[in-house]
Amino acid sequence: MELVRELSDYRQLKAEIENLKKEKRAVILAHYYQRPEIQDIADFVGDSLDLARRATEVEADIIVFCGVHFMGETAKILNPDKKVLLPEPKAGCAMADMATKKEVLKLKEKYPNAWVVSYVNTTAEVKTVSDVCCTSANAVKIIEKVPSEEVIFVPDKGLAYHVSKKVKGKRIIPFEGFCPDHYLFTEGMLETLKQRYPDAPVGVHPETPPSVQDRADFVGSTSQLLKWATDPSLEAREIIVITEIGLKYQMEKKNPNRKYIFPTPEEGVGYLLCSQMKAITLEKVYETLKEEKNEIELPQEIVKKAKKPIELMLEWST
Ligand code: SF4
């Protein structure tokens, strides 16, 4: 009885959100790491690059961004005249918070000829002192286009490792940041999964540590992992995927004929789960849109300066 009531509340909430979207000319953008029910109500679900692109094409008055703070900031920078709402204003990215503008400026002083390439997982302030942004989907392509030989890469040392293996003729100077969720996944944990599923190919996100990346069959961003793992031509019934658990939902939707093994306690290792991404619930989306609260606000000067490296990334990644 309780479950029936919960289900009907859930459907009711979804219907209310749909009505509010129409009434207020709003769109919902959601990252792959969001809860399944949030992915279901979104107009568009994607990785950071897809979402940044979508944010430039949005024809709406309000963008409800289901992701973490830097993603909402990016949407605001690309749409300064629109209302960008973040259903959980405290949802931040620990990796983005590891890099400050002051520290980046110090590195620039030390390496005056280097270009600063910032992962989109940075604050708007850090973007104001960056030359170009990148995501894990386009980092290699962007760095190949950078005109300098030296590149300061901020803030993810996991992605910096991946890029330095792929790009020839550049010296990558990594910042010492990392994603606490991906970087704490160890090669020992991977070994546990490989022993359980010896025939399963392994795909990992480049935010994982180098020792994990080196043992993978495929290293790619969330959208690249999604494409690779669901490709019908890949001969595998089971696939090990090392990234945030939210991506499993899209994989199962896209190709349900496969088993996707993500890190979970049932598989003998801990969850790889971003608590900040999971902080957004249907109730919060509903309240945020209804009351038009939790708006992202940025000083004009920051918007102006931070827009340049994001736009250059979009130009270079087409
Ligand atoms: S998974 Fe890691 S990098 Fe992604 S938002 Fe969460 S803390 Fe940041």
Short mmCIF file of all heavy atoms in Angstrom, two decimals, residues 167-228:
data_model
loop_
_atom_site.label_atom_id
_atom_site.label_comp_id
_atom_site.label_asym_id
_atom_site.label_seq_id
_atom_site.Cartn_x
_atom_site.Cartn_y
_atom_site.Cartn_z
N VAL A 167 49.05 12.90 -26.14
CA VAL A 167 49.51 14.04 -26.95
C VAL A 167 51.05 14.05 -26.99
O VAL A 167 51.70 14.05 -25.95
CB VAL A 167 48.98 15.37 -26.36
CG1 VAL A 167 49.46 16.56 -27.19
CG2 VAL A 167 47.46 15.36 -26.28
N LYS A 168 51.56 14.09 -28.19
CA LYS A 168 53.03 14.12 -28.34
C LYS A 168 53.51 15.56 -28.51
O LYS A 168 52.80 16.42 -29.02
CB LYS A 168 53.46 13.30 -29.58
CG LYS A 168 52.99 11.87 -29.55
CD LYS A 168 53.76 11.02 -28.53
CE LYS A 168 53.06 9.69 -28.28
NZ LYS A 168 52.82 9.37 -26.88
N GLY A 169 54.75 15.81 -28.07
CA GLY A 169 55.38 17.11 -28.31
C GLY A 169 54.93 18.23 -27.38
O GLY A 169 55.18 19.41 -27.66
N LYS A 170 54.25 17.90 -26.28
CA LYS A 170 53.84 18.94 -25.32
C LYS A 170 54.33 18.53 -23.93
O LYS A 170 54.33 17.33 -23.60
CB LYS A 170 52.32 19.07 -25.25
CG LYS A 170 51.65 19.39 -26.54
CD LYS A 170 51.40 20.88 -26.67
CE LYS A 170 50.67 21.15 -27.98
NZ LYS A 170 51.04 22.40 -28.58
N ARG A 171 54.68 19.52 -23.15
CA ARG A 171 55.01 19.24 -21.75
C ARG A 171 53.81 19.63 -20.90
O ARG A 171 53.44 20.80 -20.85
CB ARG A 171 56.25 20.04 -21.34
CG ARG A 171 56.62 19.79 -19.92
CD ARG A 171 57.85 20.59 -19.49
NE ARG A 171 58.00 20.47 -18.05
CZ ARG A 171 58.44 21.42 -17.27
NH1 ARG A 171 58.81 22.58 -17.80
NH2 ARG A 171 58.54 21.25 -15.97
N ILE A 172 53.19 18.65 -20.28
CA ILE A 172 52.00 18.91 -19.46
C ILE A 172 52.44 19.14 -18.01
O ILE A 172 53.08 18.28 -17.40
CB ILE A 172 51.00 17.73 -19.50
CG1 ILE A 172 50.72 17.28 -20.94
CG2 ILE A 172 49.70 18.05 -18.74
CD1 ILE A 172 49.85 18.16 -21.77
N ILE A 173 52.08 20.32 -17.50
CA ILE A 173 52.41 20.63 -16.09
C ILE A 173 51.11 20.48 -15.29
O ILE A 173 50.22 21.34 -15.36
CB ILE A 173 52.98 22.07 -15.98
CG1 ILE A 173 54.23 22.19 -16.86
CG2 ILE A 173 53.26 22.45 -14.54
CD1 ILE A 173 54.43 23.54 -17.48
N PRO A 174 50.97 19.37 -14.57
CA PRO A 174 49.67 19.13 -13.91
C PRO A 174 49.53 19.85 -12.59
O PRO A 174 50.49 20.00 -11.84
CB PRO A 174 49.65 17.62 -13.70
CG PRO A 174 51.08 17.20 -13.67
CD PRO A 174 51.91 18.25 -14.35
N PHE A 175 48.34 20.28 -12.33
CA PHE A 175 47.96 20.79 -11.02
C PHE A 175 47.67 19.54 -10.18
O PHE A 175 47.28 18.51 -10.73
CB PHE A 175 46.70 21.66 -11.18
CG PHE A 175 46.34 22.45 -9.97
CD1 PHE A 175 46.84 23.72 -9.78
CD2 PHE A 175 45.49 21.91 -9.01
CE1 PHE A 175 46.51 24.46 -8.66
CE2 PHE A 175 45.16 22.64 -7.88
CZ PHE A 175 45.66 23.91 -7.70
N GLU A 176 47.83 19.65 -8.86
CA GLU A 176 47.69 18.44 -8.03
C GLU A 176 46.25 18.15 -7.56
O GLU A 176 46.04 17.73 -6.43
CB GLU A 176 48.62 18.54 -6.81
CG GLU A 176 50.07 18.18 -7.09
CD GLU A 176 50.26 16.74 -7.56
OE1 GLU A 176 49.90 15.81 -6.82
OE2 GLU A 176 50.77 16.55 -8.68
N GLY A 177 45.27 18.43 -8.38
CA GLY A 177 43.88 18.17 -7.97
C GLY A 177 43.42 16.79 -8.43
O GLY A 177 44.06 16.15 -9.27
N PHE A 178 42.31 16.35 -7.89
CA PHE A 178 41.76 15.04 -8.27
C PHE A 178 40.31 14.94 -7.83
O PHE A 178 39.85 15.72 -6.98
CB PHE A 178 42.59 13.90 -7.64
CG PHE A 178 42.64 13.95 -6.14
CD1 PHE A 178 41.72 13.27 -5.38
CD2 PHE A 178 43.62 14.71 -5.50
CE1 PHE A 178 41.77 13.33 -3.99
CE2 PHE A 178 43.67 14.79 -4.11
CZ PHE A 178 42.74 14.10 -3.35
N CYS A 179 39.60 13.98 -8.40
CA CYS A 179 38.22 13.72 -7.98
C CYS A 179 38.27 12.70 -6.85
O CYS A 179 38.73 11.57 -7.06
CB CYS A 179 37.41 13.17 -9.16
SG CYS A 179 35.87 12.41 -8.60
N PRO A 180 37.81 13.05 -5.66
CA PRO A 180 37.90 12.10 -4.54
C PRO A 180 37.13 10.81 -4.80
O PRO A 180 37.45 9.77 -4.22
CB PRO A 180 37.28 12.86 -3.37
CG PRO A 180 37.18 14.27 -3.80
CD PRO A 180 37.17 14.31 -5.29
N ASP A 181 36.11 10.86 -5.65
CA ASP A 181 35.35 9.63 -5.92
C ASP A 181 36.10 8.72 -6.89
O ASP A 181 36.27 7.53 -6.63
CB ASP A 181 33.96 9.99 -6.46
CG ASP A 181 33.22 10.87 -5.47
OD1 ASP A 181 33.13 10.48 -4.30
OD2 ASP A 181 32.79 11.97 -5.85
N HIS A 182 36.56 9.27 -8.01
CA HIS A 182 37.26 8.43 -9.00
C HIS A 182 38.69 8.06 -8.56
O HIS A 182 39.14 6.95 -8.79
CB HIS A 182 37.35 9.17 -10.35
CG HIS A 182 36.07 9.20 -11.10
ND1 HIS A 182 35.11 10.16 -10.91
CD2 HIS A 182 35.58 8.39 -12.07
CE1 HIS A 182 34.10 9.95 -11.72
NE2 HIS A 182 34.35 8.88 -12.44
N TYR A 183 39.37 9.03 -7.94
CA TYR A 183 40.80 8.81 -7.67
C TYR A 183 41.03 7.81 -6.55
O TYR A 183 42.11 7.26 -6.40
CB TYR A 183 41.49 10.15 -7.38
CG TYR A 183 42.90 10.21 -7.93
CD1 TYR A 183 43.13 10.44 -9.29
CD2 TYR A 183 44.01 10.00 -7.11
CE1 TYR A 183 44.41 10.47 -9.81
CE2 TYR A 183 45.30 10.03 -7.63
CZ TYR A 183 45.49 10.27 -8.98
OH TYR A 183 46.76 10.30 -9.51
N LEU A 184 40.00 7.57 -5.74
CA LEU A 184 40.18 6.63 -4.63
C LEU A 184 39.89 5.19 -5.06
O LEU A 184 39.99 4.26 -4.27
CB LEU A 184 39.31 7.03 -3.43
CG LEU A 184 39.73 8.37 -2.81
CD1 LEU A 184 38.86 8.72 -1.63
CD2 LEU A 184 41.20 8.36 -2.38
N PHE A 185 39.54 5.03 -6.32
CA PHE A 185 39.36 3.67 -6.83
C PHE A 185 40.76 3.13 -7.15
O PHE A 185 41.53 3.74 -7.87
CB PHE A 185 38.49 3.67 -8.09
CG PHE A 185 38.16 2.30 -8.56
CD1 PHE A 185 37.07 1.62 -8.04
CD2 PHE A 185 38.97 1.65 -9.49
CE1 PHE A 185 36.79 0.32 -8.44
CE2 PHE A 185 38.70 0.35 -9.89
CZ PHE A 185 37.60 -0.31 -9.37
N THR A 186 41.10 1.98 -6.57
CA THR A 186 42.48 1.50 -6.68
C THR A 186 42.62 0.33 -7.67
O THR A 186 41.63 -0.32 -8.03
CB THR A 186 42.98 0.99 -5.31
OG1 THR A 186 42.14 -0.13 -4.94
CG2 THR A 186 42.90 2.07 -4.24
N GLU A 187 43.88 0.04 -8.02
CA GLU A 187 44.12 -1.11 -8.91
C GLU A 187 43.73 -2.41 -8.20
O GLU A 187 43.32 -3.38 -8.86
CB GLU A 187 45.58 -1.14 -9.38
CG GLU A 187 46.57 -1.07 -8.25
CD GLU A 187 48.00 -1.04 -8.76
OE1 GLU A 187 48.47 -2.04 -9.32
OE2 GLU A 187 48.65 -0.01 -8.56
N GLY A 188 43.83 -2.44 -6.86
CA GLY A 188 43.41 -3.63 -6.10
C GLY A 188 41.91 -3.87 -6.28
O GLY A 188 41.47 -5.02 -6.43
N MET A 189 41.13 -2.80 -6.26
CA MET A 189 39.68 -2.92 -6.45
C MET A 189 39.39 -3.43 -7.85
O MET A 189 38.52 -4.28 -8.07
CB MET A 189 39.00 -1.57 -6.25
CG MET A 189 39.03 -1.07 -4.84
SD MET A 189 38.36 0.61 -4.80
CE MET A 189 38.52 1.00 -3.09
N LEU A 190 40.15 -2.91 -8.83
CA LEU A 190 39.95 -3.35 -10.21
C LEU A 190 40.28 -4.85 -10.32
O LEU A 190 39.57 -5.60 -11.00
CB LEU A 190 40.82 -2.52 -11.17
CG LEU A 190 40.65 -2.83 -12.64
CD1 LEU A 190 39.21 -2.67 -13.10
CD2 LEU A 190 41.54 -1.93 -13.50
N GLU A 191 41.33 -5.27 -9.62
CA GLU A 191 41.71 -6.68 -9.64
C GLU A 191 40.58 -7.56 -9.11
O GLU A 191 40.27 -8.62 -9.68
CB GLU A 191 42.97 -6.84 -8.76
CG GLU A 191 44.06 -7.73 -9.29
CD GLU A 191 44.09 -7.93 -10.81
OE1 GLU A 191 44.41 -7.02 -11.59
OE2 GLU A 191 43.75 -9.07 -11.19
N THR A 192 39.91 -7.11 -8.05
CA THR A 192 38.78 -7.86 -7.47
C THR A 192 37.70 -8.07 -8.54
O THR A 192 37.18 -9.17 -8.73
CB THR A 192 38.18 -7.07 -6.27
OG1 THR A 192 39.22 -6.85 -5.34
CG2 THR A 192 37.03 -7.82 -5.62
N LEU A 193 37.38 -7.00 -9.29
CA LEU A 193 36.35 -7.10 -10.32
C LEU A 193 36.80 -8.00 -11.48
O LEU A 193 36.02 -8.79 -12.02
CB LEU A 193 35.98 -5.71 -10.84
CG LEU A 193 35.32 -4.77 -9.83
CD1 LEU A 193 35.07 -3.39 -10.45
CD2 LEU A 193 33.99 -5.34 -9.34
N LYS A 194 38.09 -7.86 -11.83
CA LYS A 194 38.61 -8.67 -12.96
C LYS A 194 38.61 -10.16 -12.62
O LYS A 194 38.36 -11.00 -13.48
CB LYS A 194 40.04 -8.23 -13.30
CG LYS A 194 40.11 -7.00 -14.17
CD LYS A 194 41.57 -6.72 -14.52
CE LYS A 194 41.70 -5.87 -15.74
NZ LYS A 194 43.04 -5.85 -16.29
N GLN A 195 38.89 -10.47 -11.35
CA GLN A 195 38.87 -11.89 -10.96
C GLN A 195 37.45 -12.46 -11.02
O GLN A 195 37.24 -13.59 -11.38
CB GLN A 195 39.45 -12.05 -9.56
CG GLN A 195 40.97 -12.15 -9.61
CD GLN A 195 41.61 -12.12 -8.24
OE1 GLN A 195 40.97 -12.37 -7.24
NE2 GLN A 195 42.89 -11.79 -8.22
N ARG A 196 36.49 -11.63 -10.66
CA ARG A 196 35.08 -12.06 -10.72
C ARG A 196 34.59 -12.22 -12.15
O ARG A 196 33.76 -13.07 -12.44
CB ARG A 196 34.21 -11.01 -10.07
CG ARG A 196 34.00 -11.25 -8.63
CD ARG A 196 32.91 -10.35 -8.12
NE ARG A 196 32.68 -10.72 -6.74
CZ ARG A 196 31.56 -10.51 -6.09
NH1 ARG A 196 30.57 -9.93 -6.68
NH2 ARG A 196 31.43 -10.87 -4.85
N TYR A 197 35.05 -11.32 -13.01
CA TYR A 197 34.58 -11.30 -14.41
C TYR A 197 35.80 -11.33 -15.34
O TYR A 197 36.13 -10.31 -15.96
CB TYR A 197 33.75 -10.05 -14.67
CG TYR A 197 32.55 -9.93 -13.76
CD1 TYR A 197 32.61 -9.14 -12.61
CD2 TYR A 197 31.36 -10.60 -14.05
CE1 TYR A 197 31.51 -9.03 -11.77
CE2 TYR A 197 30.26 -10.49 -13.21
CZ TYR A 197 30.35 -9.70 -12.06
OH TYR A 197 29.26 -9.60 -11.22
N PRO A 198 36.50 -12.47 -15.43
CA PRO A 198 37.77 -12.51 -16.18
C PRO A 198 37.63 -12.19 -17.67
O PRO A 198 38.60 -11.76 -18.30
CB PRO A 198 38.28 -13.93 -15.95
CG PRO A 198 37.14 -14.69 -15.39
CD PRO A 198 36.17 -13.74 -14.79
N ASP A 199 36.44 -12.41 -18.24
CA ASP A 199 36.29 -12.16 -19.69
C ASP A 199 35.77 -10.76 -20.01
O ASP A 199 35.62 -10.40 -21.19
CB ASP A 199 35.33 -13.19 -20.31
CG ASP A 199 35.87 -14.59 -20.13
OD1 ASP A 199 37.12 -14.73 -20.16
OD2 ASP A 199 35.07 -15.52 -19.93
N ALA A 200 35.45 -10.00 -18.99
CA ALA A 200 34.83 -8.68 -19.25
C ALA A 200 35.88 -7.63 -19.59
O ALA A 200 36.85 -7.44 -18.85
CB ALA A 200 34.05 -8.25 -18.01
N PRO A 201 35.69 -6.92 -20.73
CA PRO A 201 36.58 -5.79 -21.01
C PRO A 201 36.38 -4.69 -19.97
O PRO A 201 35.32 -4.59 -19.36
CB PRO A 201 36.15 -5.31 -22.39
CG PRO A 201 35.03 -6.15 -22.83
CD PRO A 201 34.66 -7.11 -21.75
N VAL A 202 37.42 -3.87 -19.79
CA VAL A 202 37.37 -2.83 -18.76
C VAL A 202 37.44 -1.43 -19.39
O VAL A 202 38.36 -1.13 -20.14
CB VAL A 202 38.57 -2.99 -17.78
CG1 VAL A 202 38.58 -1.86 -16.74
CG2 VAL A 202 38.53 -4.34 -17.09
N GLY A 203 36.46 -0.60 -19.07
CA GLY A 203 36.48 0.80 -19.50
C GLY A 203 36.55 1.69 -18.28
O GLY A 203 35.83 1.45 -17.30
N VAL A 204 37.42 2.69 -18.29
CA VAL A 204 37.56 3.55 -17.11
C VAL A 204 37.53 5.02 -17.51
O VAL A 204 37.88 5.39 -18.64
CB VAL A 204 38.86 3.26 -16.31
CG1 VAL A 204 39.02 1.79 -16.00
CG2 VAL A 204 40.10 3.79 -17.02
N HIS A 205 37.13 5.85 -16.57
CA HIS A 205 37.13 7.30 -16.77
C HIS A 205 38.54 7.83 -16.51
O HIS A 205 39.23 7.33 -15.61
CB HIS A 205 36.11 7.93 -15.80
CG HIS A 205 35.76 9.33 -16.14
ND1 HIS A 205 36.58 10.39 -15.79
CD2 HIS A 205 34.71 9.86 -16.80
CE1 HIS A 205 36.02 11.51 -16.23
NE2 HIS A 205 34.88 11.22 -16.85
N PRO A 206 38.97 8.86 -17.26
CA PRO A 206 40.34 9.37 -17.04
C PRO A 206 40.54 10.11 -15.71
O PRO A 206 41.65 10.55 -15.43
CB PRO A 206 40.58 10.31 -18.24
CG PRO A 206 39.24 10.64 -18.76
CD PRO A 206 38.34 9.49 -18.44
N GLU A 207 39.50 10.24 -14.91
CA GLU A 207 39.71 10.82 -13.57
C GLU A 207 40.22 9.77 -12.58
O GLU A 207 40.52 10.08 -11.44
CB GLU A 207 38.40 11.43 -13.04
CG GLU A 207 38.05 12.75 -13.71
CD GLU A 207 36.66 13.27 -13.34
OE1 GLU A 207 36.06 12.76 -12.39
OE2 GLU A 207 36.19 14.18 -14.04
N THR A 208 40.31 8.50 -13.03
CA THR A 208 40.84 7.45 -12.15
C THR A 208 42.37 7.57 -12.11
O THR A 208 42.98 8.20 -12.98
CB THR A 208 40.45 6.04 -12.68
OG1 THR A 208 40.84 5.96 -14.06
CG2 THR A 208 38.96 5.79 -12.55
N PRO A 209 43.01 6.94 -11.13
CA PRO A 209 44.48 7.05 -11.03
C PRO A 209 45.19 6.37 -12.22
O PRO A 209 44.64 5.45 -12.83
CB PRO A 209 44.82 6.31 -9.73
CG PRO A 209 43.55 6.01 -9.06
CD PRO A 209 42.44 6.13 -10.05
N PRO A 210 46.44 6.80 -12.50
CA PRO A 210 47.20 6.21 -13.61
C PRO A 210 47.27 4.68 -13.56
O PRO A 210 47.12 4.02 -14.58
CB PRO A 210 48.60 6.82 -13.45
CG PRO A 210 48.34 8.14 -12.79
CD PRO A 210 47.17 7.94 -11.89
N SER A 211 47.46 4.10 -12.37
CA SER A 211 47.61 2.64 -12.28
C SER A 211 46.32 1.92 -12.71
O SER A 211 46.37 0.78 -13.19
CB SER A 211 47.96 2.23 -10.84
OG SER A 211 46.98 2.72 -9.96
N VAL A 212 45.18 2.57 -12.55
CA VAL A 212 43.90 1.98 -13.00
C VAL A 212 43.76 2.17 -14.51
O VAL A 212 43.41 1.24 -15.25
CB VAL A 212 42.71 2.62 -12.22
CG1 VAL A 212 41.37 2.19 -12.82
CG2 VAL A 212 42.78 2.24 -10.74
N GLN A 213 44.08 3.37 -14.98
CA GLN A 213 44.01 3.64 -16.43
C GLN A 213 44.90 2.67 -17.21
O GLN A 213 44.50 2.17 -18.28
CB GLN A 213 44.46 5.08 -16.73
CG GLN A 213 43.54 6.14 -16.15
CD GLN A 213 43.95 7.55 -16.56
OE1 GLN A 213 44.46 7.77 -17.66
NE2 GLN A 213 43.74 8.52 -15.69
N ASP A 214 46.09 2.38 -16.65
CA ASP A 214 47.04 1.51 -17.36
C ASP A 214 46.54 0.07 -17.50
O ASP A 214 47.03 -0.68 -18.33
CB ASP A 214 48.39 1.50 -16.63
CG ASP A 214 49.13 2.81 -16.82
OD1 ASP A 214 48.72 3.61 -17.70
OD2 ASP A 214 50.11 3.05 -16.08
N ARG A 215 45.58 -0.32 -16.65
CA ARG A 215 45.07 -1.69 -16.71
C ARG A 215 43.74 -1.79 -17.47
O ARG A 215 43.10 -2.83 -17.46
CB ARG A 215 44.88 -2.23 -15.29
CG ARG A 215 46.18 -2.65 -14.66
CD ARG A 215 46.08 -2.80 -13.15
NE ARG A 215 47.37 -3.21 -12.60
CZ ARG A 215 48.42 -2.41 -12.46
NH1 ARG A 215 48.35 -1.14 -12.83
NH2 ARG A 215 49.55 -2.87 -11.96
N ALA A 216 43.34 -0.71 -18.11
CA ALA A 216 42.03 -0.70 -18.79
C ALA A 216 42.16 -1.02 -20.28
O ALA A 216 43.21 -0.82 -20.88
CB ALA A 216 41.38 0.67 -18.61
N ASP A 217 41.07 -1.52 -20.86
CA ASP A 217 41.03 -1.71 -22.32
C ASP A 217 40.63 -0.43 -23.01
O ASP A 217 40.90 -0.23 -24.19
CB ASP A 217 40.00 -2.80 -22.66
CG ASP A 217 40.36 -4.11 -22.02
OD1 ASP A 217 41.38 -4.69 -22.41
OD2 ASP A 217 39.64 -4.55 -21.08
N PHE A 218 39.92 0.43 -22.28
CA PHE A 218 39.42 1.67 -22.89
C PHE A 218 39.39 2.76 -21.81
O PHE A 218 38.94 2.52 -20.70
CB PHE A 218 38.01 1.43 -23.44
CG PHE A 218 37.40 2.63 -24.10
CD1 PHE A 218 37.75 2.98 -25.41
CD2 PHE A 218 36.49 3.44 -23.43
CE1 PHE A 218 37.20 4.11 -26.01
CE2 PHE A 218 35.94 4.56 -24.03
CZ PHE A 218 36.29 4.89 -25.32
N VAL A 219 39.89 3.96 -22.18
CA VAL A 219 39.82 5.10 -21.25
C VAL A 219 39.03 6.19 -21.96
O VAL A 219 39.37 6.58 -23.09
CB VAL A 219 41.24 5.65 -20.90
CG1 VAL A 219 41.14 6.80 -19.88
CG2 VAL A 219 42.14 4.54 -20.35
N GLY A 220 37.97 6.67 -21.35
CA GLY A 220 37.17 7.71 -22.02
C GLY A 220 36.23 8.43 -21.08
O GLY A 220 35.98 7.99 -19.94
N SER A 221 35.71 9.54 -21.59
CA SER A 221 34.77 10.36 -20.83
C SER A 221 33.45 9.59 -20.67
O SER A 221 33.27 8.52 -21.26
CB SER A 221 34.50 11.66 -21.60
OG SER A 221 33.79 11.33 -22.79
N THR A 222 32.50 10.16 -19.96
CA THR A 222 31.23 9.45 -19.77
C THR A 222 30.54 9.17 -21.11
O THR A 222 30.07 8.05 -21.34
CB THR A 222 30.27 10.26 -18.85
OG1 THR A 222 30.29 11.61 -19.26
CG2 THR A 222 30.66 10.16 -17.40
N SER A 223 30.51 10.17 -22.00
CA SER A 223 29.83 9.93 -23.28
C SER A 223 30.60 8.90 -24.11
O SER A 223 30.00 8.08 -24.81
CB SER A 223 29.65 11.24 -24.05
OG SER A 223 30.89 11.88 -24.20
N GLN A 224 31.93 8.93 -24.03
CA GLN A 224 32.74 7.96 -24.78
C GLN A 224 32.57 6.54 -24.19
O GLN A 224 32.48 5.55 -24.91
CB GLN A 224 34.21 8.38 -24.79
CG GLN A 224 34.44 9.63 -25.65
CD GLN A 224 35.72 10.37 -25.33
OE1 GLN A 224 36.37 10.13 -24.32
NE2 GLN A 224 36.09 11.31 -26.19
N LEU A 225 32.49 6.47 -22.85
CA LEU A 225 32.27 5.16 -22.20
C LEU A 225 30.90 4.61 -22.58
O LEU A 225 30.75 3.41 -22.86
CB LEU A 225 32.36 5.30 -20.67
CG LEU A 225 33.76 5.40 -20.06
CD1 LEU A 225 33.67 5.78 -18.58
CD2 LEU A 225 34.54 4.10 -20.20
N LEU A 226 29.92 5.50 -22.63
CA LEU A 226 28.56 5.09 -22.97
C LEU A 226 28.53 4.49 -24.38
O LEU A 226 27.95 3.42 -24.62
CB LEU A 226 27.62 6.30 -22.86
CG LEU A 226 26.16 6.11 -23.22
CD1 LEU A 226 25.49 5.11 -22.29
CD2 LEU A 226 25.39 7.44 -23.15
N LYS A 227 29.18 5.17 -25.30
CA LYS A 227 29.22 4.71 -26.69
C LYS A 227 29.95 3.36 -26.80
O LYS A 227 29.47 2.42 -27.43
CB LYS A 227 29.93 5.78 -27.53
CG LYS A 227 29.72 5.65 -28.99
CD LYS A 227 30.22 6.89 -29.71
CE LYS A 227 30.19 6.60 -31.20
NZ LYS A 227 31.33 7.05 -31.91
N TRP A 228 31.11 3.30 -26.15
CA TRP A 228 31.94 2.10 -26.23
C TRP A 228 31.24 0.88 -25.61
O TRP A 228 31.15 -0.17 -26.23
CB TRP A 228 33.27 2.38 -25.52
CG TRP A 228 34.15 1.18 -25.33
CD1 TRP A 228 34.92 0.57 -26.27
CD2 TRP A 228 34.32 0.43 -24.12
NE1 TRP A 228 35.58 -0.52 -25.72
CE2 TRP A 228 35.23 -0.62 -24.40
CE3 TRP A 228 33.81 0.53 -22.83
CZ2 TRP A 228 35.63 -1.55 -23.45
CZ3 TRP A 228 34.22 -0.40 -21.87
CH2 TRP A 228 35.11 -1.42 -22.18
#
